[in-house]
Amino acid sequence: PKPAGNSPVLAKGTIDIDPGRATFKAMQLFVNISDPAMPGPPLAAVKLPPGPFPMEFVVTQADVIPMAAGRPLPAQLLVKARLDDDGNAFTRSDTDPQAELSGVAKGTEGLTLTLQ
């Protein structure tokens, strides 16, 4: 994971994969932060290598995407993780292992996401 440095942590924790999904084809692991009250693109995102699991992740203020840079982040976040089989964040397959946690307070550490 990228060191947090001086940038405030939005969400931090561990990602694991369900033992039933032990075999998967993945190019990238994407972790996104969104506003659960507003559908649309993520507010912040990181791209990580796919494993080995369990693995740590951290999303900081420095990971806010340029399109959302001027927008205040909500107090409650939606944190999503997805193993992507083609490495392209914009294409999604129903078979991509994923996990999400809603209602995560901004700055929460110690989260656990299990990819299903």
Side-chain angles (χ1 to χ4, degrees):
K2 185 176 2 176
N6 293 329
S7 192
V9 170
L10 300 179
K12 182 177 179 180
T14 303
I15 297 174
D16 206 348
I17 190 161
D18 183 284
R21 296 298 304 259
T23 57
F24 58 88
K25 180 182 107 187
M27 300 291 292
Q28 293 291 326
L29 174 65
F30 295 106
V31 181
N32 299 320
I33 302 283
S34 300
D35 182 342
M38 295 188 68
L43 302 172
V46 294
K47 182 168 69 169
L48 302 168
F53 295 101
M55 63 184 287
E56 291 185 6
F57 76 93
V58 61
V59 183
T60 70
Q61 188 73 38
D63 300 310
V64 170
I65 61 172
M67 200 166 56
R71 185 174 156 200
L73 292 170
Q76 299 293 308
L77 306 171
L78 173 62
V79 181
K80 292 182 179 182
R82 180 173 54 89
L83 273 174
D84 189 89
D85 65 2
D86 67 2
N88 182 340
F90 299 104
T91 60
R92 291 180 173 85
S93 167
D94 291 340
T95 60
D96 288 345
Q98 49 194 332
E100 68 177 55
L101 293 172
S102 189
V104 174
K106 184 169 59 174
T108 298
E109 298 189 19
L111 296 168
T112 300
L113 289 159
T114 302
L115 301 166
Q116 301 286 331

